[in-house]
């Protein structure tokens, strides 16, 4: 007799091969990609800012060097002008000395000392008038001038 036992089939069913899965966080178009683009943009901005600052520093150093050269040139001009001023001041002091004044006038300007007989003193009173005698030609020209002015005054309304 056959036993009425349950017969279990111990055969293992063939397993299906599980698909290979790769775990990716967020997918292709998620915040990570946007964050990466933002980081790249920030790096580009920082690099541009640094390059701008370096360019500004180089330009300011060039201008500073140029201005320093101008200052040195002006200082040299000032030193030369001060030397000239000192020389001319000493020459003026030497000439202004009363004993040297007469000598300088005679030698450099060709002046001579006055003779007391060449000096004439005039005393003019408060109402005194000095008249100069005119020649006949001068008097005729003055009369002609007076007549012309009178004629012009008569035309003026």
């Amino acid at each position: 007799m056959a036993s009425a036992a349950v017969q279990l089939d111990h055969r293992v069913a063939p397993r299906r091969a599980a698909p290979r899965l790769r775990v990716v966080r967020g997918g292709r178009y998620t915040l990570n990609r946007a964050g990466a683009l933002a980081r790249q943009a920030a790096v580009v901005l920082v690099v541009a800012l640094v390059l701008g600052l370096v360019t500004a520093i180089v330009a300011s150093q060039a201008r500073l060097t140029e201005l320093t050269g101008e200052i040195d040139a002006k200082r040299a001009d000032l030193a030369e002008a001060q030397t000239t001023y000192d020389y001319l001041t000493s020459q003026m002091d030497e000439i202004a000395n009363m004993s040297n004044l007469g000598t300088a006038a005679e030698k450099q300007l060709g002046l001579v000392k006055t003779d007391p007989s060449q000096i004439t003193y005039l005393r003019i009173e408060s109402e005194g008038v000095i008249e100069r005698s005119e020649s006949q030609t001068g008097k005729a020209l003055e009369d002609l001038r007076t007549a012309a002015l009178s004629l012009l005054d008569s035309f003026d309304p």
Side-chain angles (χ1 to χ4, degrees):
M1 275 211 229
S3 83
V6 178
Q7 213 180 20
L8 295 175
D9 193 10
H10 290 293
R11 275 194 296 169
V12 177
R15 284 185 148 189
R16 289 187 197 166
R20 292 183 143 240
L21 294 178
R22 188 175 78 176
V23 177
V24 177
R25 194 197 286 173
R28 259 173 96 163
Y29 299 102
T30 62
L31 292 177
N32 285 337
R33 184 164 180 122
L37 288 176
R39 281 191 294 276
Q40 288 175 352
V43 168
V44 168
L45 284 175
V46 167
V47 168
L49 181 65
V50 168
L51 286 177
L53 289 174
V54 167
T55 303
I57 289 171
V58 168
S60 66
Q61 286 297 325
R63 181 69 177 147
L64 183 65
T65 303
E66 180 182 336
L67 291 175
T68 303
E70 287 180 20
I71 288 171
D72 291 342
K74 295 300 178 185
R75 282 187 180 153
D77 291 345
L78 178 62
E80 184 180 337
Q82 285 177 336
T83 303
T84 304
Y85 174 77
D86 292 340
Y87 171 74
L88 292 176
T89 301
S90 67
Q91 289 294 319
M92 185 179 70
D93 289 342
E94 184 180 325
I95 290 172
N97 189 355
M98 286 306 252
S99 63
N100 294 334
L101 188 60
T103 307
E106 289 175 1
K107 288 183 180 177
Q108 293 177 358
L109 301 175
L111 300 177
V112 293
K113 293 187 177 186
T114 59
D115 185 18
S117 65
Q118 295 174 331
I119 300 174
T120 305
Y121 293 100
L122 297 174
R123 181 175 295 181
I124 299 176
E125 295 178 15
S126 62
E127 294 183 17
V129 177
I130 298 176
E131 290 187 22
R132 200 175 81 182
S133 60
E134 295 183 22
S135 64
Q136 280 294 34
T137 308
K139 190 168 178 135
L141 287 174
E142 184 62 33
D143 289 342
L144 181 63
R145 181 177 167 271
T146 304
L149 288 175
S150 296
L151 182 63
L152 287 174
D153 283 341
S154 67
F155 289 130
D156 196 19

